[in-house]
Amino acid sequence: MKKNTIFFFCYRLFEFKLFLRSGLLDLCLKKNKIVLIVPEESVKGTKEIISDQIIVKPLKSRSSKISNYKPSLINKIEHTLRNILAFTYGRKLNYENCISQKFQIKAFFNAQKIKSFKSIIISIFVICNAYLSSYFKFYRILLQRFLYFFLDNNDHKDLYDKFKPSLVIVGSMGLDADGLVLAESKKNKITSLVINQSWDRVVCKGYPTCHPDYFFVWNNHMKTEAINYLDMSEERIKILGSPSWDYIFRKDNLLSKKEFFSQINLDPTKKTVYYPLNSAFWHDELIKNLEDIYNAIINQ
């Protein structure tokens, strides 16, 4: 019997970690052919730690977070539209507003106002449109469809033609290169599925640049947020728990606090604050938080 083919797209290794650690790759491999698409520089390393039955191919869709190309006018328009949607969350009369919008917009404006007068004007334009699209569904849908024009692509035409997938699985809903991936699957009329890899995707990442056909979330609360903030249809959302953290419930090979602290030369008897940071080029304001924590410790 001929097997169906599933494309797993990982524009970051964060998504690859989700698919690998949850056991999803191995589970799907039992009845399907798997094509895993990862950043080109990660192809070799990825092949070394997964089944040799899984086909690994390089990702061709660009990432706005890591691209070094000089943006054209078209790129700048696309980037502005992405920024507007990044701060957009649907506002409904019968549901509370997404409070993270306020803090995201403030951080964005603080970062832009120190650059140039032009940056200030553009940021005000972005913020005003983000609030407008949050209040009016027709406007955010209009922006999304306008942005789709820029997302339309044939980046992986060779893979679609060769493997003819029946399903495309992505770990995030259309913020960056994943938006290009979802748009390409839509263009090829292939069912798309986003497995929510992070707790903050629904309330801290803005409105999707391209909706998938199905959205898998952790719990009922996340489902309700996706309906109200992201305009996902209720029948398109499925609850499956948090697969990225399933491994925590596996008791084998777990380190005790004492063992873990000894490995990183910390005293296990002292109180500990664990504060993970993203890279500075993406969330530079987080570095300022370290100063606040340091000063709080010094001042007791």
Side-chain angles (χ1 to χ4, degrees):
M1 185 174 68
K2 184 179 179 181
K3 292 184 176 181
N4 290 327
T5 299
I6 301 176
F7 280 3
F8 283 84
F9 277 93
C10 312
Y11 87 95
R12 303 174 302 174
L13 292 185
F14 195 42
E15 284 80 16
F16 173 63
K17 175 184 174 183
L18 163 68
F19 299 146
L20 180 68
R21 265 197 168 165
S22 65
L24 186 60
L25 289 174
D26 291 334
L27 182 64
C28 290
L29 189 59
K30 292 179 179 179
K31 294 185 178 181
N32 305 274
K33 180 184 289 186
I34 303 298
V35 179
L36 181 66
I37 297 102
V38 299
E40 187 171 7
E41 64 274 13
S42 303
V43 170
K44 182 180 178 182
T46 300
K47 287 181 178 180
E48 294 174 354
I49 59 175
I50 61 173
S51 169
D52 56 9
Q53 297 180 52
I54 297 177
I55 301 168
V56 183
K57 295 292 184 180
L59 178 73
K60 297 178 182 178
S61 298
R62 70 184 185 277
S63 169
S64 61
K65 294 179 183 178
I66 59 177
S67 296
N68 294 316
Y69 66 91
K70 186 176 181 180
S72 64
L73 177 60
I74 295 296
N75 295 138
K76 290 179 180 178
I77 294 173
E78 178 188 348
H79 181 69
T80 300
L81 290 171
R82 286 178 185 271
N83 271 343
I84 293 172
L85 292 181
F87 303 124
T88 293
Y89 301 89
R91 295 197 174 200
K92 309 290 177 64
L93 293 176
N94 60 344
Y95 197 74
E96 61 184 319
N97 295 335
C98 183
I99 62 174
S100 62
Q101 182 186 50
K102 173 184 175 181
F103 302 102
Q104 288 178 301
I105 287 177
K106 182 179 179 181
F108 170 70
F109 186 68
N110 286 342
Q112 296 301 312
K113 70 182 182 181
I114 61 176
K115 293 181 179 180
S116 66
F117 180 73
K118 180 181 177 181
S119 296
I120 294 175
I121 298 301
I122 294 175
S123 63
I124 292 174
F125 174 80
V126 167
I127 292 168
C128 289
N129 276 274
Y131 278 123
L132 188 63
S133 59
S134 295
Y135 279 107
F136 300 104
K137 182 178 179 179
F138 81 91
Y139 189 57
R140 54 182 176 267
I141 297 298
L142 181 66
L143 288 175
Q144 188 190 53
R145 291 184 177 177
F146 185 38
L147 179 57
Y148 182 80
F149 168 78
F150 299 96
L151 301 179
D152 188 12
N153 68 93
N154 291 299
D155 291 341
H156 303 92
K157 185 178 185 304
D158 56 332
L159 298 182
Y160 276 96
D161 290 344
K162 181 178 180 179
F163 295 105
K164 295 179 173 50
S166 57
L167 178 65
V168 168
I169 298 180
V170 192
S172 185
M173 189 158 42
L175 287 172
D176 196 50
D178 42 356
L180 289 163
V181 167
L182 289 171
E184 190 175 15
S185 69
K186 186 176 182 179
K187 181 177 183 177
N188 284 277
K189 299 181 180 179
I190 305 299
T191 301
S192 60
L193 162 65
V194 167
I195 301 178
N196 201 51
Q197 31 86 330
S198 177
W199 66 269
D200 67 343
R201 173 58 192 91
V202 178
V203 294
C204 294
K205 299 297 183 180
Y207 200 77
T209 56
C210 186
H211 281 96
D213 292 304
Y214 294 97
F215 188 34
F216 283 10
V217 298
W218 293 9
N219 49 45
N220 274 305
H221 187 71
M222 193 175 281
K223 177 180 179 179
T224 303
E225 290 173 334
I227 293 170
N228 286 281
Y229 298 148
L230 309 183
D231 296 328
M232 280 295 300
S233 300
E234 183 174 1
E235 63 273 14
R236 298 283 183 172
I237 305 174
K238 310 297 178 184
I239 298 171
L240 82 160
S242 51
S244 55
W245 302 112
D246 281 351
Y247 74 94
I248 289 178
F249 297 93
R250 299 169 191 154
K251 301 302 180 182
D252 54 317
N253 299 322
L254 291 181
L255 292 176
S256 67
K257 179 179 179 179
K258 183 177 180 180
E259 291 171 325
F260 176 69
F261 274 51
S262 66
Q263 289 184 6
I264 56 177
N265 298 317
L266 291 179
D267 185 350
T269 64
K270 292 183 177 180
K271 292 183 178 180
T272 306
V273 175
Y274 175 60
Y275 187 62
L277 295 170
N278 280 314
S279 49
F281 79 91
W282 187 238
H283 293 293
D284 52 308
E285 285 212 350
L286 293 179
I287 302 299
K288 297 178 184 177
N289 293 348
L290 289 180
E291 296 178 3
D292 293 335
I293 293 172
Y294 174 77
N295 290 328
I297 293 172
I298 294 299
N299 297 318
Q300 299 184 352

